[in-house]
Amino acid sequence: MRRAIFPGSFDPIHYGHIDIVTRGSALFDELVIAVYDRPAKKLLFSLEERLHLVQQTVNHIPNTRVVAYNGLTVDFCEKMDARFILRGLRVFSDFEYEFRMALANQRLSPEIDTISLITREQHTFLSSSTVREVASLNGNVSTMVPAVVQTALQQRYAELANDSN
Ligand code: ADP
């Protein structure tokens, strides 16, 4: 079975991620969307919230599964019996980071290959941090994220505004 994992923070999931999941799921027998527990960046949503949003958003896409993970991505691949890591590429600056990660992972586990898909043109600018920034300023993110994510963002920023009053 050709199984791949698509690792990320998904804080929150957006249409750029969903496009990679849709196209990636057609390439493999199973695509495991791996939500990283504690990335080295400040998170807006907890692991449970991120998992729930990813699940609600990709449940219509065949051959997919959503799992939380921590530790090294290659160790998680081995645990899941996955031979491929799927990543998305937006801009040249992504390429340098992804290139370094892929080489580091190759050094750690030469049998695991990284497959990168180029983003669709309309998602080039899209990142979780852009989505968070627009939503935090009450901007319209309906073209960037599905409705469930939009609602979760509105609720979270309303909670944060209440907390600071
Ligand atoms: P990380 O925490 O590793 O940066 P993200 O949750 O931001 O992870 O993204 C997970 C994966 O999705 C990465 O490979 C990233 O390059 C890819 N990705 C993020 N945004 C887009 C986009 N707009 N188009 C295509 N791929 C994207």
Side-chain angles (χ1 to χ4, degrees):
M1 177 187 255
R2 294 166 78 86
R3 182 179 291 120
I5 75 153
F6 179 42
S9 318
F10 305 105
D11 187 38
I13 188 162
H14 55 66
Y15 284 133
H17 294 131
I18 295 166
D19 176 55
I20 298 293
V21 173
T22 307
R23 290 155 63 206
S25 73
L27 295 175
F28 303 101
D29 297 315
E30 183 176 59
L31 179 63
V32 179
I33 299 130
V35 182
Y36 190 55
D37 179 0
R38 255 175 262 163
K41 49 187 171 186
K42 201 165 172 272
L43 290 166
L44 182 64
F45 292 106
S46 68
L47 175 65
E48 289 68 30
E49 289 165 325
R50 287 179 288 132
L51 269 175
H52 189 56
L53 290 174
V54 175
Q55 266 151 359
Q56 284 175 286
T57 313
V58 304
N59 61 11
H60 64 286
I61 306 174
N63 313 334
T64 58
R65 185 148 55 117
V66 185
V67 179
Y69 85 107
N70 53 37
L72 283 175
T73 302
V74 288
D75 288 346
F76 182 67
C77 281
E78 271 158 36
K79 187 174 147 205
M80 297 298 292
D81 197 19
R83 266 219 50 221
F84 304 96
I85 297 172
L86 178 67
R87 298 288 286 175
L89 286 177
R90 284 162 293 194
V91 285
F92 286 124
S93 51
D94 275 354
F95 180 78
E96 201 189 330
Y97 173 76
E98 295 293 338
F99 187 66
R100 275 192 283 117
M101 283 300 298
L103 289 179
N105 285 332
Q106 210 176 78
R107 174 73 59 88
L108 293 169
S109 290
E111 70 285 1
I112 295 173
D113 273 318
T114 299
I115 312 280
S116 297
L117 289 180
I118 307 289
T119 189
R120 291 220 186 270
E121 209 180 341
Q122 69 265 34
H123 301 314
T124 310
F125 74 97
L126 203 46
S127 67
S128 296
S129 61
T130 301
V131 169
R132 292 195 302 269
E133 193 174 349
V134 174
S136 74
L137 299 170
N138 250 324
N140 181 354
V141 290
S142 62
T143 61
M144 304 178 195
V145 296
V148 279
V149 178
Q150 202 181 343
T151 306
L153 282 161
Q154 281 160 353
Q155 281 170 354
R156 172 50 39 88
Y157 282 114
E159 283 163 17
L160 291 175
N162 272 343
D163 291 351
S164 65
N165 287 335

